[in-house]
Amino acid sequence: MTNRKSSLVWLITGSSTGFGRALAEAALAQDDHVIVTARDISKIQDLEHQYPQTAKVVRLDVTDQATIQSAVQIGLAAFNRIDVLVNNAGYGLMGAVEEVSDEQIRNQLETNFFGLLNVTRAIIPTFKKQATGHILNLSSAGGRVTLPMLGLYHASKFAVEGLSETLAQELKPFGIKVTIIEPGGFETDFVNRSMVTAVQMPEYAPFREQMAAFSLEHPQGHVPTGVQAILKVVELPDPPLHLAIGPSALPMIIQKLSSDIEEYQRFEDIWQDSTANASEASKQSNLAQKV
């Protein structure tokens, strides 16, 4: 229960398990209204039975434009407005860039990037009409930091980051907020349920061992704690563009950004030298023309 005068209306994609399910349950528990969506609605039907007045279960496949438009319209018909969009649907693809198939690459980007893009584009007109709305895009610490064997997953999340940063600039004049949620590892079944693995080539075995060791070395976040952080950010009048959650996310991101800055600065003289040489060459050329 919150101290708000009115409840919020959420639309959450990928609500059958993991963060999507936990967030839907938490929002409903605090008397908000939720358009609960998944490809298989049999896995979320119980939420509508438990909260018949405030939960609306709708089938939504982020790779199917027709179901996206239908879910938005059904949600608006049920609750008259949508205040928060949570683009949560997505999965991982494990494999070296050489190992993953063309079909796996396209499917990864179709769900993690184009699916998110299509749902967002479908709801922007509603948010503009309302002159308010908050888009929460579930990226990952892997949208800022890379590891071997996750190249295409990283590519999809880096794309989400770039898209979201631009959206934040374009939509701010309309009263629409954008926050990129960047979870580190959490205690979910993501690795088992939501991870596709490419056919393995033996020469990449050392990287698979490295990834296994990485998972053991880094602590996992508690899902309810992560959900509470997301609920809090929605309440902020001026929410952040980036929100790292989980015990390992922010340290990894800070280390990566610091390393990037150090490298840029270490080699900035290459550009400065090139600029100086070009300037000198231009002066000599102009002098020769005058002579």
Side-chain angles (χ1 to χ4, degrees), residues 217-237:
E217 292 168 0
H218 288 76
Q220 301 292 298
H222 191 41
V223 173
T225 305
V227 166
Q228 287 304 310
I230 295 172
L231 293 176
K232 287 178 183 177
V233 83
V234 169
E235 300 292 338
L236 297 176

Side-chain angles (χ1 to χ4, degrees), residues 164-186:
S164 301
E165 291 188 3
T166 296
L167 276 173
Q169 298 172 60
E170 294 175 350
L171 299 181
K172 185 176 181 179
F174 303 102
I176 303 169
K177 305 165 186 175
V178 179
T179 298
I180 310 165
I181 309 295
E182 298 166 337
F186 272 83

Side-chain angles (χ1 to χ4, degrees), residues 199-217:
V199 175
Q200 297 179 356
M201 300 171 66
E203 54 266 45
Y204 292 105
F207 289 111
R208 281 184 278 277
E209 294 172 4
Q210 179 182 336
M211 289 297 293
F214 177 88
S215 298
L216 293 173
E217 292 168 0

Side-chain angles (χ1 to χ4, degrees), residues 9 26 45 56 59 62 86 109-110 138 143 154 162 179 184 189 206 211 265-266 271:
V9 179
Q45 203 73 56
K56 185 65 178 178
R59 182 177 180 275
V62 299
V86 182
L109 294 172
E110 192 67 39
L138 265 290
H154 289 312
T179 298
D189 59 347
M211 289 297 293
Q265 292 175 335
R266 186 154 52 96
W271 165 248

Side-chain angles (χ1 to χ4, degrees), residues 124-190:
I124 286 174
T126 296
F127 281 177
K128 287 173 66 180
K129 184 178 180 180
Q130 297 173 172
T132 185
H134 196 164
I135 299 169
L136 302 180
N137 286 337
L138 265 290
S139 177
S140 166
R144 307 285 262 174
V145 180
T146 62
L147 295 166
M149 312 306 290
L150 289 171
L152 273 302
Y153 176 74
H154 289 312
S156 71
K157 295 302 185 181
F158 270 64
V160 166
E161 297 267 346
L163 173 71
S164 301
E165 291 188 3
T166 296
L167 276 173
Q169 298 172 60
E170 294 175 350
L171 299 181
K172 185 176 181 179
F174 303 102
I176 303 169
K177 305 165 186 175
V178 179
T179 298
I180 310 165
I181 309 295
E182 298 166 337
F186 272 83
E187 297 167 347
T188 69
D189 59 347
F190 180 84

